[in-house]
Amino acid sequence: MRDDGPRTHTPYAALAHLARLSGTLPLLRPPAASVGGFLRRARSRLTAIDVGANIGDTLAAFDPQSDDHLLAIEPDPTFFDCLQHNWGAIRA
């Protein structure tokens, strides 16, 4: 059985592997960027809440812009650390 997955079992490695795949296999790319673009055209900015945000990959798929209002909620401390690492400082 062929294993094309990441060689380590960390969320960072999984995110990097997903990014590589989405660049080479366009069908793996979620339609979130298209939805985000539609909402920006209709409302001038994207407002989204991601409950169970994990490492922030779903919000990242929306191709966030500086005017967007995003809230990511993740209760698991391990994934919260990854989320914070991926998205920078958390503003309260």
Side-chain angles (χ1 to χ4, degrees):
M1 175 182 255
R2 183 176 169 190
D3 177 17
D4 289 332
R7 296 297 172 237
T8 62
H9 297 288
T10 67
Y12 301 123
L15 183 61
H17 182 65
L18 182 60
R20 283 192 304 275
L21 282 178
S22 64
T24 59
L25 302 172
L27 294 177
L28 287 178
R29 195 165 173 227
S34 298
V35 172
F38 170 79
L39 291 172
R40 280 186 203 94
R41 286 190 299 278
R43 306 255 182 207
S44 77
R45 72 171 174 231
L46 174 66
T47 301
I49 300 172
D50 187 359
V51 179
N54 200 285
I55 59 175
D57 52 332
T58 300
L59 288 179
F62 280 95
D63 188 27
Q65 307 295 311
S66 61
D67 291 344
D68 293 343
H69 293 172
L70 307 173
L71 175 62
I73 300 169
E74 177 52 55
D76 183 283
T78 300
F79 289 115
F80 179 79
D81 288 345
C82 295
L83 176 68
Q84 193 170 18
H85 174 81
N86 289 336
W87 285 91
I90 303 294
R91 291 183 295 164

